[in-house]
Structure formats: structure tokens, C-alpha cells
Amino acid sequence: DLTIEGALAGLKKKDFSCTEYVDALIAHSEKHADLNGYTSHDWEALRAAAAQYDRGGGKRGRLAGIPLALKD
């Protein structure tokens, strides 16, 4: 149960990779799929973005490495 601050700190210290973090979030979401928290998702795009972050690519804003969800 990481907070965003904890996740950012863990990514910065390389306690885990962004890909590992994303995989844990996906597993958690799938474990609780019965809650219908997400009606649509693109796990492959999320994993690709995480891999790009791990390679050092992409823009690095304040929330770099943190997946975001949008509610409609």
C-alpha cells in the first residue's frame, strides 16, 4: 500500500523499477476486478510507458513513473 510519495521515493532510490511497480498495480486491479474500478484499460501501453521510464526515456515531470487513472 504505497502512497504516491512512497512510490516516487522507491523509484528514485531504485528500490523497484517502474515496470515492477506497474505490474503490481495491474495485479492488484485484476485481483479486484469484481469492483469494476476500471471499465477500460490498456495494460500493454502502460507497460510500454513503464519500460520507457526504466530506460530513462520520456519527459521527467514531478509525477514521472506514476500511472494515472481518469474517471469519466
Side-chain angles (χ1 to χ4, degrees):
D1 292 325
L2 281 177
T3 63
I4 290 176
E5 288 177 341
L8 287 169
L11 290 168
K12 185 176 182 178
K13 294 188 305 187
K14 300 196 184 295
D15 290 340
F16 46 83
S17 69
C18 188
T19 300
E20 291 169 326
Y21 179 53
V22 161
D23 284 341
L25 292 174
I26 291 170
H28 182 79
S29 177
E30 290 177 342
K31 179 180 177 183
H32 299 286
D34 59 312
L35 298 176
N36 295 321
Y38 301 102
T39 57
S40 65
H41 50 75
D42 188 348
W43 297 145
E44 293 311 310
L46 183 58
R47 285 185 174 113
Q52 181 181 17
Y53 175 91
D54 289 338
R55 290 190 305 270
K59 292 183 179 182
R60 297 292 171 128
R62 292 177 60 188
L63 293 176
I66 303 298
L68 300 175
L70 302 175
K71 181 168 175 54
D72 59 358

